[in-house]
Amino acid sequence: MAIAVCENLVDDQGQELLVHGSAQFPVACYADDLAREPVPWHWHNEWECAVVAQGRAEVAADTEHFTAEAGEGYFIHAGVLHSMCAAGDGACRLQAVVFHPSLVGGSPGSVFDRQYVQPLLARGSPPCVWLRRGEAWQAAALDEIAAAWHSCARETAGYELAVRAALSRLAFQLTLRGPAAPPPTARSLRETARMKAMLRYIEQNLDAPLDTAAIAASAAVSESECLRCFRRTIGLPPVQYVRQLRIRRAAALLRETDLSVSEIGARCGFPDASYFAKTFRALTGRSPGAYRRSDEPPVAAEG
């Protein structure tokens, strides 16, 4: 299994399309530089864990937000909306492992499933666990994530067993000592469903005019409720989030294609080339042309 750079593609429900591993070995490992390519809001049916190998990472999962320093990391449950970006200047390298709970649990109803998977899938578990070196069990959990990732990178004989063993020990640490959380309220579940619907609508219409009214209508909520959901979950108003997402997509097209600047702007919802250039410079500090010529083109986030 080669270490890959994660490409964030979602379906019409906002769920990530990328297949993580295979049915026979449902795990994949990724090396990402968040300064170059932030991970936008998305969700998937697998568990995700990671260690920050360099720099500082802003991690958001559901309504939780924190800054993970180098050596720290996280564990995110299946179905949880989440995103990551670099905090500050310079590289921010993330070593991430995405795996289906069945890798650890085996057959439904097995002792592994009942004792180490189902407790983590229970509603009493928080959507995300911030892992730091200050507590012994969290340091051990971080070591298991790193061990799984490096086993994938080396691909020596029997690495599949090593990966599964490390992730099983991670599940054990989380089951035994992981923090508990109260069950989600009906309101929070409803808000998550609304956010997924609105993010899905944005992804599907990123090249078209988008305003708060249209985004709110996609989830059958008022504009004020739409604004509240975005502020609480993402920390940005919807129009500002759309602008940020469009510039990130434009940055990727500038790096990866030979399309003209004006065509990229149009594909990302900026039919006016001069407005596209102005907005791009405001968010990145560079013109689209200068960004394309740069060896290290970071995309700044709006605050």
Side-chain angles (χ1 to χ4, degrees):
M1 173 189 298
I3 300 296
V5 175
C6 187
E7 297 181 20
N8 189 257
L9 303 172
V10 297
D11 65 11
D12 61 0
Q13 295 182 349
Q15 181 178 359
E16 192 173 49
L17 285 170
L18 186 64
V19 176
H20 302 286
S22 65
Q24 294 76 31
F25 191 50
V27 57
C29 298
Y30 302 98
D32 297 304
D33 185 348
L34 298 180
R36 178 175 289 272
E37 187 67 30
V39 178
W41 286 89
H42 68 291
W43 63 279
H44 43 67
N45 287 323
E46 293 84 8
W47 286 337
E48 179 174 333
C49 55
V51 174
V52 180
Q54 180 184 0
R56 303 165 67 237
E58 291 285 351
V59 181
D62 197 8
T63 57
E64 297 184 29
H65 297 74
F66 56 87
T67 302
E69 306 285 342
E72 298 179 348
Y74 61 78
F75 174 86
I76 296 176
H77 276 284
V80 174
L81 280 167
H82 59 282
S83 70
M84 295 89 188
C85 64
D89 298 328
C92 176
R93 302 192 184 279
L94 197 67
Q95 297 176 344
V97 182
V98 183
F99 65 105
H100 196 275
S102 63
L103 179 73
V104 171
S107 301
S110 71
V111 65
F112 309 104
D113 180 59
R114 287 188 291 104
Q115 292 192 26
Y116 306 111
V117 171
Q118 294 307 318
L120 285 180
L121 294 175
R123 288 190 170 188
S125 300
C128 177
V129 181
W130 180 8
L131 299 171
R132 287 164 282 187
R133 293 280 173 187
E135 291 192 43
W137 79 266
Q138 294 187 19
L142 288 163
D143 289 342
E144 301 298 355
I145 297 170
W149 192 91
H150 286 291
S151 292
C152 284
R154 290 190 289 266
E155 289 190 296
T156 55
Y159 81 94
E160 298 94 341
L161 292 171
V163 170
R164 187 185 186 193
L167 295 176
S168 296
R169 289 191 295 268
L170 169 66
F172 172 70
Q173 292 288 346
L174 289 164
T175 301
L176 188 65
R177 300 183 179 88
T185 63
R187 179 177 179 177
S188 66
L189 291 172
R190 184 169 60 249
E191 184 171 294
T192 296
R194 288 170 173 174
M195 282 302 306
K196 287 181 178 179
M198 289 187 285
L199 292 172
R200 175 177 69 241
Y201 178 79
I202 289 170
E203 285 283 349
Q204 292 174 333
N205 296 277
L206 205 56
D207 60 343
L210 284 170
D211 58 22
T212 302
I215 295 168
S218 70
V221 298
S222 66
E223 291 186 46
S224 60
E225 178 64 10
C226 170
L227 288 166
R228 191 192 69 79
C229 287
F230 268 81
R231 283 288 190 189
R232 185 168 182 269
T233 303
I234 295 179
L236 294 173
V239 172
Q240 194 171 342
Y241 173 75
V242 168
R243 185 183 303 117
Q244 186 180 104
L245 193 62
R246 282 172 167 165
I247 292 303
R248 286 177 176 172
R249 179 167 294 182
L253 290 173
L254 286 166
R255 289 196 308 270
E256 298 164 8
T257 75
D258 294 325
L259 295 172
S260 68
V261 170
S262 59
E263 186 173 354
I264 288 174
R267 288 192 179 195
C268 296
F270 296 97
D272 185 311
S274 62
Y275 179 65
F276 169 54
K278 178 181 178 181
T279 305
F280 194 94
R281 183 185 291 275
L283 267 67
T284 69
R286 303 175 187 175
S287 69
Y291 183 96
R292 172 171 265 170
R293 293 188 296 270
S294 173
D295 290 333
E296 295 185 5
V299 179
E302 286 184 289

